[in-house]
Amino acid sequence: MAIQNNIAEGNSQYGIAFNNAYYRIITSAISRQRGSEPKFQVMIDLSAYATASPTDDTREVDFKRYHASLDDINAASGDAFLDKCYSWVMAQDDMAGSTAV
């Protein structure tokens, strides 16, 4: 699974737009928080590529990091944990208009 979304010229580190940028989750980790709520937090890192078939040597055109409570991730749609992470990311304001691919 991956996400396609447009990167506007003004939001691009390269000063150009990337239509249908290909986002993949590269890290999704759960950590236990001491003395705070939510007790369990999920960190999700996304990298975006200008191609839908990146290799290990393909350079990213965008990077995003999100933090969410584990409860919010578990409430998202999807069968597996990673599917739920993708669903949650697509619901964020800065990913409006994104599609699953």
Side-chain angles (χ1 to χ4, degrees), residues 1 9 12 14-15 20 23 28 59 64 68 73 81-82 99-100:
M1 179 178 217
E9 180 179 333
S12 169
Y14 297 103
N20 295 316
Y23 284 88
S28 182
R59 301 211 48 178
K64 296 179 183 291
I73 297 297
F81 177 73
L82 200 55
T99 57

Side-chain angles (χ1 to χ4, degrees), residues 42 44 68-77 81 84-85 88-89:
V42 179
I44 301 169
S69 75
L70 180 58
D71 290 341
D72 289 345
I73 297 297
N74 284 333
S77 63
F81 177 73
K84 292 174 180 287
C85 289
W88 184 88
V89 164

